[in-house]
């Protein structure tokens, strides 16, 4: 027993893999659809007048953001945790009946929560707060699912063989703690049915905060949801999968230490940059701007650590499509963590805020960094979980280029469109009158909206190629070895 | 250097939590000590306006429309006076939005009429050529949820001391009292009386008939809400 490698149990990881893929397809399909609704408004009526309420842009938009954030991304986080956790802690889930049952229950409850979220959002139950739209019963379900994940993390840590926690585990722990704190405080709400003694809709609740305070809490949450869902756990992934895939050790332990603690401290201050020139206190806005600039340090620290991990092994970028995904993911991470601070500078924000440059920036991070990392992680995991060679390397390469092209379409169109719109809103003619009506600035965006839709569609095509590749891997003939010995699944 | 910490998951987690909670404590608590105070002239929402606000939220109008006028000449020229914190004192949740696919609505009540909204919500493109906003025809048949608005009024009065049925100071030195029913029937009657005033300015016969029968379609409530945004 002592001399054999551990056999890990990937049952729960496998389940979450499927929810990652399925919810990714659902969320991104809705995304592409609503992108085209902005270019061609008649699509709002695609299922006729009778169902227009449910195919309308405004009803679908929270479904898109929540499906990709809490569906695709959070599933990806769970899937990689149930894979990476066991391997870096050197303990199998099968060793603990409790953890195994907990993991399975975690998945089942998660799926029930997602179903409830989708149904209630379609029905129009929303708190209106971005990325926290769910009404209170769904919030409670989310808290339970999250606590179960926490028990799973600390349970596995409790029975670990490897005493030192690997860097990825730091980031998973931070994800758990950060999201727990943010979600609880931002969703403080009072169900009106109970508070009023049984009047009205049981689903309805009212925020515990009003006006500027509510905005402050929401963007403290909203910005840091980006931190603790779209950044921290994704860094956990790259710290595991890049060294594993490339066979290279992490370049610098000290740099990872600096980046981790720096990111933890700095990120939470930066939420104020969503509220520049609003009615929240000025010093909070200034802190938001300043800390956003400081945030470049820990962000680039991680990204540079990743790039330097490939030092001397750059030929792998040419030979392996998986390394391509990982490398471009960290490059997009650098790009969007530079773009964000630029937008947080007050004078830039005056132009950028409320324009398409903002969703453009979000998608640089979510498509290029989060999307690519989750895609790469599942590509790395699939051959090992199913104990089969990956179905097609060339399909994977094609997917990489199609999706990269899609992202480039997306951010260039949103960048140009957003700045154009921002400049038109603020321009005055020689007499000091507004130079453009609001409608002028809508009309000018039309070509950019089409390009953006095409960019999104290309990325979605790539997601279908990814799903197909993994499906074919799963259903292929098994290979003999219990564990792949080569560092890369591309060996064959 | 920190290896000892990485072998102790409990201390590590406590450390992480303290580091991430720090900024929240420093930035949020002082703002809460200074509770949101209404400016003179800001009143709580009437039952019908609140029901309309729920229609606004239900349809995520805030996904495309902001309610925040920034202190720039281009914005005050286009939308009116820049926003003050106290104007949002009764906004739970706040509806500033983060994207202007359509124009800001912070003071839409100053320059649009009931009739304009009625035509616009039915078919935006007919009124504003080139508009990419879809129609919201279902608001003409779906009924507004007055009971839930009333439940919210009770809740905010009990928990946050929102001054319903109390005189609120206005800009001209007078006071105004926003009514909240003491029973749900009173609240419904109050909302219906306000709905009749809105419907009187509308052209749609079906809507007028519904209000005459004592039913309040969503469109009436949301127009009452938008007219209150000044």
């Amino acid at each position: 027993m002592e001399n054999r490698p551990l056999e890990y149990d990937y049952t729960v990881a496998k389940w979450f893999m499927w929810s990652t893929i399925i919810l990714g397809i659902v969320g991104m399909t809705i995304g592409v659809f609503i992108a085209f609704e902005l270019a061609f408004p008649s699509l709002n009526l695609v299922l006729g007048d009778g169902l227009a309420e449910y195919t309308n842009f405004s009803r679908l938009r929270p479904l898109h953001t929540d499906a990709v954030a809490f569906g695709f991304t959070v599933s990806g986080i769970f899937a990689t945790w149930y894979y990476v956790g066991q391997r870096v802690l050197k303990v199998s889930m099968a060793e603990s009946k409790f953890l195994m049952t907990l993991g399975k229950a975690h998945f089942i409850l998660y799926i029930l929560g997602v179903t409830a979220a989708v149904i209630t959002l379609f029905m129009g139950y929303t708190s209106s707060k971005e990325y926290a739209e769910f009404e209170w019963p769904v919030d409670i379900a989310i808290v339970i699912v999250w606590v179960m994940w926490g028990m799973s993390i600390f349970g596995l840590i409790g029975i670990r063989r490897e005493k030192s926690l690997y860097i990825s585990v730091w980031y998973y722990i931070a994800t758990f703690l950060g999201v727990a704190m943010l979600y609880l405080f931002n969703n403080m709400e009072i169900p009106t049915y109970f508070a009023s003694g049984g009047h009205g809709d049981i689903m309805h609740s009212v925020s515990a905060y009003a006006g500027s305070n509510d905005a402050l809490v929401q963007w403290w949450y909203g910005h840091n949801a980006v931190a603790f869902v779209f950044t921290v756990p994704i860094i956990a992934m790259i710290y595991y999968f890049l060294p594993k895939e490339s066979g290279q050790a992490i370049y610098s332990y000290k740099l990872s230490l600096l980046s981790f603690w720096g990111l933890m401290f700095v990120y939470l201050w930066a939420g104020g940059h969503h509220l520049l020139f609003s009615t929240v206190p000025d010093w909070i806005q200034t802190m938001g701007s300043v800390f956003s600039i400081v945030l470049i340090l820990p962000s680039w620290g991680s990204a540079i650590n990743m790039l330097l991990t490939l030092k001397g092994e750059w030929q792998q970028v040419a030979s392996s499509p998986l390394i391509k995904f990982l490398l471009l993911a960290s490059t997009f991470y650098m790009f969007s963590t530079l773009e964000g601070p630029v937008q947080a500078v007050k004078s830039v924000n005056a132009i950028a805020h409320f324009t398409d440059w903002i969703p453009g920036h979000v998608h640089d991070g979510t498509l290029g960094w989060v999307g690519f990392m989750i895609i790469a992680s599942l590509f790395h995991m699939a051959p090992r979980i199913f104990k089969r060679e990956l179905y097609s390397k060339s399909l994977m390469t094609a997917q990489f280029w199609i999706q990269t092209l899609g992202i480039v379409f997306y951010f260039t169109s949103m960048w140009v469109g957003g700045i154009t719109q921002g400049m038109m809103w603020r321009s005055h003619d020689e007499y000091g009158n507004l130079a453009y009506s609001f409608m002028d600035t809508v009309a000018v965006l039309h070509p950019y909206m089409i390009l953006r839709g095409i960019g999104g569609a290309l990325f979605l095509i790539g997601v279908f190629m990814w799903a197909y590749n993994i499906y074919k891997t799963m259903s292929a003939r098994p290979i003999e070895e219990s564990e792949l010995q080569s560092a890369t699944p591309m060996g064959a | 250097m920190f290896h000892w910490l990485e072998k102790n998951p409990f201390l590590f987690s406590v450390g992480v939590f303290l580091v991430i909670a720090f900024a929240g404590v420093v930035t949020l608590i002082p703002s809460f000590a200074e509770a949101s105070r209404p400016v003179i002239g800001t009143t709580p929402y009437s039952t019908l306006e609140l029901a309309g606000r729920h229609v606004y939220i239900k349809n995520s109008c805030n996904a495309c429309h902001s309610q925040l006028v920034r202190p720039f000449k281009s914005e005050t020229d286009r939308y009116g006076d820049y926003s003050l914190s106290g104007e949002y004192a009764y906004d739970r949740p706040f509806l500033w939005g983060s994207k202007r696919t359509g124009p800001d609505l912070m003071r839409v009540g100053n320059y649009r009429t009931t009739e304009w909204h009625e035509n616009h919500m039915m078919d935006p493109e007919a009124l504003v050529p080139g508009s990419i906003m879809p129609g919201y025809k279902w608001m003409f048949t779906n009924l507004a949820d007055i009971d839930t608005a009333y439940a919210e009024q009770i809740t905010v009065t009990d928990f946050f001391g929102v001054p319903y049925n109390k005189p609120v100071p206005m800009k001209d030195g007078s006071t105004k009292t926003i009514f909240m029913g003491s029973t749900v029937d009173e609240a419904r009657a109050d909302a219906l009386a306000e709905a009749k005033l809105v419907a009187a300015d509308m052209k749609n016969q079906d809507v007028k008939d519904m209000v005459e029968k004592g039913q309040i379609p969503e469109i009436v409530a949301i127009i009452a809400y938008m007219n209150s945004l000044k």
Side-chain angles (χ1 to χ4, degrees):
Chain A
M1 185 68 196
E2 287 304 308
N3 291 327
R4 271 200 313 160
L6 265 173
E7 278 287 333
Y8 300 106
D9 191 314
Y10 297 130
T11 316
V12 184
K14 200 185 322 181
W15 291 358
F16 274 114
M17 249 175 95
W18 290 118
S19 66
T20 310
I21 294 172
I22 291 165
L23 292 168
I25 289 175
V26 171
M28 293 181 211
T29 305
I30 297 175
V32 172
F33 179 69
I34 62 175
F36 279 111
E37 281 186 338
L38 291 177
F40 306 105
S42 57
L43 284 173
N44 281 285
L45 297 173
V46 72
L47 297 180
D49 266 341
L51 288 170
E53 186 173 354
Y54 307 101
T55 54
N56 191 286
F57 176 88
S58 62
R59 193 64 66 87
L60 290 177
R61 196 259 182 185
L63 271 161
H64 162 63
T65 53
D66 289 334
V68 289
F70 299 106
F72 171 71
T73 309
V74 169
S75 279
I77 296 168
F78 291 158
T80 55
W81 161 256
Y82 283 109
Y83 177 89
V84 173
Q86 301 182 65
R87 298 182 68 115
V88 297
L89 297 170
K90 296 278 173 284
V91 61
S92 169
M93 278 182 78
E95 291 174 52
S96 161
K97 209 169 172 209
F98 170 73
L99 286 178
M100 203 61 215
T101 316
L102 184 72
K104 287 177 179 170
H106 177 215
F107 176 80
I108 292 165
L109 226 91
Y110 169 80
I111 293 299
L112 291 176
V114 166
T115 314
V118 169
I119 292 172
T120 54
L121 285 179
F122 255 121
M123 288 170 72
Y125 286 114
T126 163
S127 71
S128 90
K129 294 189 177 183
E130 276 181 83
Y131 323 117
E133 282 92 352
F134 315 118
E135 270 297 358
W136 66 272
V138 181
D139 284 339
I140 291 174
I142 289 174
V143 170
I144 295 172
V145 168
W146 203 253
V147 169
M148 289 173 88
W149 185 46
M151 288 165 69
S152 205
I153 294 177
F154 288 105
L156 207 61
I157 288 176
I159 58 167
R160 71 194 189 280
R161 288 198 183 77
E162 170 57 58
K163 288 300 166 203
S164 264
L165 303 182
Y166 180 64
I167 307 168
S168 295
V169 182
W170 313 351
Y171 280 99
Y172 282 116
I173 290 176
T175 304
F176 168 71
L177 293 172
V179 172
M181 172 184 80
L182 295 159
Y183 201 85
L184 277 177
F185 281 99
N186 190 43
N187 284 290
M188 286 293 164
E189 53 208 4
I190 303 169
T192 55
Y193 178 83
F194 299 104
S196 68
H199 290 300
D201 199 322
I202 196 163
M203 290 285 288
H204 185 70
S205 66
V206 60
S207 173
Y209 320 112
S212 300
N213 285 348
D214 200 31
L216 201 56
V217 179
Q218 158 62 19
W219 285 111
W220 170 75
Y221 164 85
H223 178 70
N224 296 305
V226 175
F228 287 91
V229 174
F230 289 148
T231 305
V232 173
I234 315 300
I235 299 178
M237 292 176 202
I238 201 162
Y239 265 113
Y240 178 82
F241 291 107
L242 184 70
K244 268 287 177 189
E245 190 60 36
S246 64
Q248 294 277 94
I250 289 292
Y251 174 72
S252 162
Y253 166 74
K254 279 186 183 156
L255 194 53
S256 46
L257 205 60
L258 175 86
S259 308
F260 177 79
W261 291 102
L263 197 76
M264 292 302 119
F265 181 74
V266 177
Y267 226 125
L268 279 288
W269 292 88
H273 68 216
H274 288 259
L275 300 166
L276 298 182
F277 303 107
S278 78
T279 63
V280 305
D282 215 35
W283 70 274
I284 292 177
Q285 301 183 25
T286 306
M287 288 301 244
S289 273
V290 170
F291 274 97
S292 301
I293 306 289
V294 179
L295 199 49
I296 297 175
L297 275 174
S299 308
W300 279 49
S302 295
I304 288 172
N305 210 0
M306 289 305 124
L307 296 184
L308 289 178
T309 295
L310 282 175
K311 205 170 81 170
E313 283 290 316
W314 290 103
Q315 80 283 356
Q316 289 195 24
V317 180
S319 61
S320 159
L322 227 168
I323 293 287
K324 283 193 184 69
F325 273 111
L326 291 164
L327 181 81
L328 208 70
S330 43
T331 311
F332 268 109
Y333 180 52
M334 291 180 89
F335 173 42
S336 54
T337 53
L338 185 65
E339 190 185 25
V342 168
Q343 292 181 328
V345 173
K346 276 193 165 186
S347 48
V348 179
N349 191 269
I351 300 171
H353 194 51
F354 290 134
T355 72
D356 279 307
W357 190 10
I358 306 298
H361 164 63
V362 174
H363 284 84
D364 288 339
T366 48
L367 300 177
W369 159 240
V370 180
F372 270 17
M373 265 320 296
I374 290 177
I375 286 167
S377 301
L378 265 59
F379 268 141
H380 177 96
M381 284 155 60
R384 290 163 176 82
I385 286 181
F386 300 123
K387 307 213 186 320
R388 287 150 165 90
E389 289 294 345
L390 195 79
Y391 170 65
S392 168
K393 190 175 160 178
S394 50
L395 186 63
M396 197 168 157
T397 312
Q399 178 196 339
F400 172 82
W401 289 111
I402 289 174
Q403 289 191 311
T404 303
L405 187 68
I407 301 171
V408 172
F409 266 57
Y410 199 109
F411 79 75
T412 47
S413 61
M414 296 294 267
W415 199 340
V416 178
I419 293 174
T420 305
Q421 195 181 30
M423 295 303 276
M424 284 172 81
W425 283 342
R426 61 173 14 222
S427 59
H428 288 89
D429 65 16
E430 55 193 304
Y431 304 107
N433 298 319
L434 290 169
Y436 301 99
S437 73
F438 194 90
M439 274 314 301
D440 292 337
T441 72
V442 173
V444 77
L445 289 181
H446 183 66
Y448 303 111
M449 292 294 107
I450 296 175
L451 275 177
R452 179 259 281 266
I454 293 172
L458 287 173
F459 195 90
L460 179 63
I461 290 170
V463 168
F464 277 106
M465 294 163 84
W466 172 58
Y468 179 74
N469 215 344
I470 288 184
Y471 170 75
K472 291 296 275 186
T473 304
M474 178 193 77
S475 47
R477 206 161 49 83
I479 50 174
E480 298 305 317
E481 295 87 357
S482 61
E483 177 86 353
L484 284 175
Q485 295 304 315
S486 61
T488 160
M490 302 308 146
Chain B
M1 169 167 42
F2 278 107
H3 284 298
W4 60 273
L5 190 58
E6 287 144 28
K7 291 192 169 88
N8 191 328
F10 178 74
L11 281 183
F12 179 85
S13 305
V14 171
V16 169
F17 186 76
L18 290 178
V19 170
I20 60 179
F22 183 69
V25 171
V26 174
T27 53
L28 297 181
I29 288 178
S31 309
F32 278 85
E34 185 127 337
S36 209
R37 283 178 306 230
V39 292
I40 306 285
T42 299
T43 56
Y45 294 103
S46 74
T47 315
L48 186 67
E49 288 163 8
L50 201 55
R53 197 169 193 269
H54 292 164
V55 177
Y56 188 96
I57 291 170
K58 177 182 171 189
N59 290 285
S60 293
C61 301
N62 52 297
C64 295
H65 295 279
S66 58
Q67 286 190 23
L68 177 77
V69 184
R70 297 179 294 169
F72 307 144
K73 177 174 162 29
S74 58
E75 300 227 340
T76 52
D77 280 2
R78 201 184 293 276
Y79 304 118
D81 290 348
Y82 59 81
S83 304
L84 302 176
S85 184
E87 292 182 276
Y88 300 111
Y90 303 118
D91 280 12
R92 293 172 191 268
F94 79 114
L95 290 173
W96 296 358
S98 59
K99 175 78 175 51
R100 279 182 190 150
T101 303
D104 188 272
L105 300 179
M106 175 84 194
R107 308 194 188 284
V108 69
N110 285 336
Y111 48 87
R112 297 289 186 221
T113 60
T114 297
E115 196 185 351
W116 189 90
H117 284 306
E118 179 188 6
N119 292 323
H120 186 250
M121 296 303 282
M122 182 60 95
D123 185 4
E125 239 251 306
L127 219 62
V128 185
S131 170
I132 60 168
M133 176 170 153
Y136 285 76
K137 290 182 185 162
W138 57 89
M139 285 186 190
F140 290 76
T141 48
N142 286 2
L143 292 185
D145 189 347
I146 303 298
D147 289 14
T148 300
Y150 177 58
E152 186 172 317
Q153 286 182 311
I154 296 177
T155 308
V156 295
T157 309
D158 289 354
F159 282 82
F160 310 116
V162 172
Y164 281 108
N165 296 329
K166 286 180 190 160
V168 177
M170 301 303 287
K171 277 180 187 144
D172 59 5
S174 65
T175 59
K176 193 173 174 184
T177 304
I178 303 297
F179 176 77
M180 179 181 86
S182 54
T183 63
V184 68
D185 289 328
E186 255 183 58
R188 285 177 193 155
D190 170 55
L192 187 62
E194 198 184 336
K196 282 181 176 164
L197 295 178
V198 177
D201 292 336
M202 293 176 70
K203 296 277 179 290
N204 188 305
Q205 199 52 47
D206 294 339
V207 170
K208 284 170 172 293
D209 291 346
M210 282 170 87
V211 174
E212 216 40 61
K213 278 191 291 179
Q215 295 174 323
I216 305 175
E218 288 182 334
I219 186 73
V220 176
I222 198 171
I223 290 177
Y225 169 63
M226 285 195 283
N227 286 342
S228 80
L229 296 174
K230 286 179 175 173

